[in-house]
Amino acid sequence: MNSEIIYYDATKLAELIRTRKVSPVEVVQAHLDRIEAVNPKLNAIVTVADDALEAAKAAEAAVMAGDELGPLHGVPFTVKDSIDTAGVLTQRGSPIFKGRIPKTDAVSVARMKSAGAILLAKTNLPEFSYSTETDNLLTGRSNNPWNLDRTPGGSSGGESAAIAAGMSPLGLGTDLAISIRGPAAQTGIIGLKATHGRIPMTGIWSRAPRRFWHVGPMARSVRDIALAYSLLAGPDGADGFSTSPLKFDAGVGASPNRQLRVGWLVEPGFGPIDAEVAATVQAAAEALHGAGCLVEPVRIPALERDNSLDVFNRLHVMEMKPAFAQATAGHESEMFKISKGMLATPDTTMADFILAEQAAERLRDGFAEYFQRYDALLCPVLPIPAHAHGLSEIVINGQSVPAVQIQGATVPFNVTGLPGLSIRFGTSRDGLPIGVQLVSSWMAESTILHLGSLLEAESPVRDLHPNI
């Protein structure tokens, strides 16, 4: 039964627990056993919650007593180690915060617990969540369960690896430029970056630049993502960016009464894209057409006019550097190379900063115009499948480009705050997952969740798991 439990999704586990076909203790123990078996190879889990089994016993007692149960009652979940968890180590991937134990949960964690979910463990990340790979001086490097020589991505790479390998059915990650969607694509799971502000960032560090930061769910099924999102979204009265009404959704819902219009785009606008990735996006477009959507190739002039990655870099460094400098003052010898590199980056001039702000506005305007004509955009998540550890350059169609280009198709939606869903739809010749990205207009998460469920139903790679 353990081998089945670890690959059931959270929705299935909650149903089995509610109907007393499996106990929360059995579920939590199965995942703890899986962590013990495979985490030494992956280094995805950095801290196991000491009270997970006790919480499972309490959850079992509630089931047996006939108590009212939350939608995730007894289901374990994991949390990226930048997200505060009361009484459980939250070290942010840095020796500077070694031994740090928060007194309160982040709002996102508290909402998961309120739904009955049980905190199982914390997952690895790059220092301060600031890298496209998961490695740091405190808890080390995480590996991809599909190929240990490849990265699971960053910054939510530990979370993605844990879920892909069956150590967790559901988790929380954060996304500044790529960090939920990229790791999800590299490990073959699903990740949602909702509209900026939909899920409060309260209790997550760093919060600067908060206008680009997101927190969101990661899982192995679209229905788990939709359930978790429904529990996580809504204002908390503390995060000033989180203001949208709890139940408001501008999307078409799960049962649209008209044909959905989907544009698909590989190039130009995101930089070079590997041929296998391009073919996977096209295959997903054909699948959506087969499912009844109006699907056609598009171009978005705003993406071609302004380089989103350049805009992001000119803006976020100036906003993030003060927070990093304050946190690391007097601890410079304990900093990882990525953080040192960011602090050493030359300041953006005021003139260039203003030009970047204006470019960001043009990008928002360009997407606003696009979404007048289409319900969604289908595009790559990453330009290539998971790459080897520690590269400063990546090769795309024979062309070497800086490794930062891995963010080329994700960062436009952080700059603009648009929601994006990453879902696997293919496999590379090397046996690595290939994901596609669905993007909708602001506050229209139901649209991409619906389209994601259509792709999931047609997926040639659904229910594949790494052999580890």
Side-chain angles (χ1 to χ4, degrees), residues 74-412:
V75 177
F77 74 108
T78 44
V79 175
K80 183 180 181 181
D81 205 33
S82 61
I83 303 173
D84 280 356
T85 45
V88 180
L89 284 170
T90 304
Q91 302 179 108
R92 302 168 175 169
S94 174
I96 297 170
F97 295 103
K98 183 178 180 179
R100 178 180 175 271
I101 300 178
K103 295 181 179 179
T104 58
D105 286 321
V107 166
S108 51
V109 173
R111 288 178 175 178
M112 293 289 284
K113 289 182 176 180
S114 293
I118 296 171
L119 177 65
L120 181 70
K122 303 299 291 292
T123 53
N124 204 20
L125 72 170
E127 183 176 55
F128 306 156
S129 299
Y130 193 74
S131 179
T132 58
E133 293 192 52
T134 295
D135 193 4
N136 63 70
L137 293 177
L138 179 64
T139 46
R141 187 183 78 187
S142 294
N143 299 318
N144 193 314
W146 293 91
N147 183 329
L148 300 180
D149 295 327
R150 305 294 178 101
T151 179
S155 59
S156 305
E159 192 60 52
S160 68
I163 293 170
M167 292 189 280
S168 169
L170 179 64
L172 297 176
T174 63
D175 194 311
L176 174 66
I178 186 176
S179 299
I180 287 174
R181 294 156 296 153
Q186 285 162 311
T187 60
I189 66 167
I190 304 171
L192 174 67
K193 182 195 81 63
T195 302
H196 183 255
R198 287 288 251 180
I199 304 173
M201 283 287 294
T202 308
I204 302 172
W205 192 89
S206 70
R207 294 180 78 183
R210 192 151 44 104
R211 59 168 162 170
F212 296 144
W213 274 115
H214 304 67
V215 57
M218 304 175 76
R220 292 189 300 267
S221 70
V222 173
R223 67 179 185 173
D224 278 4
I225 294 290
L227 174 57
Y229 168 67
S230 72
L231 300 169
L232 293 165
D236 70 337
D239 183 343
F241 280 106
S242 187
T243 59
S244 62
L246 185 59
K247 299 298 182 183
F248 175 76
D249 189 288
V252 295
S255 301
N257 56 12
R258 62 169 174 79
Q259 186 181 42
L260 288 182
R261 301 161 297 184
V262 181
W264 69 278
L265 170 65
V266 174
E267 296 182 37
F270 299 124
I273 303 295
D274 175 80
E276 286 188 302
V277 174
T280 301
V281 175
Q282 184 169 356
E286 292 167 356
L288 289 177
H289 172 73
C293 300
L294 188 158
V295 184
E296 56 190 20
V298 296
R299 292 180 70 164
I300 300 177
L303 275 175
E304 298 176 40
R305 173 175 176 173
D306 292 298
N307 184 307
S308 299
L309 193 52
D310 177 61
V311 171
F312 173 78
N313 287 335
R314 283 188 285 160
L315 291 176
H316 94 276
V317 167
M318 293 305 294
E319 298 180 347
M320 206 165 197
K321 282 173 78 171
F324 276 32
Q326 181 180 10
T328 59
H331 299 276
E332 288 78 7
S333 64
E334 299 175 86
M335 291 172 62
F336 196 51
K337 58 186 177 181
I338 305 299
S339 302
K340 288 182 178 179
M342 194 275 282
L343 287 178
T345 302
D347 288 354
T348 305
T349 66
M350 180 60 73
D352 281 346
F353 190 89
I354 291 171
L355 290 173
E357 288 277 21
Q358 293 170 341
E361 291 182 9
R362 286 194 296 269
L363 285 163
R364 287 181 63 90
D365 291 346
F367 279 112
E369 180 182 0
Y370 172 83
F371 286 115
Q372 290 295 306
R373 293 174 287 129
Y374 295 95
D375 297 295
L377 173 68
L378 171 68
C379 63
V381 186
L382 304 172
I384 58 172
H387 58 77
H389 295 287
L391 299 184
S392 59
E393 293 188 337
I394 56 176
V395 178
I396 307 173
N397 297 331
Q399 175 188 357
S400 291
V401 298
V404 70
Q405 188 60 45
I406 200 78
Q407 305 168 105
T410 54
V411 79

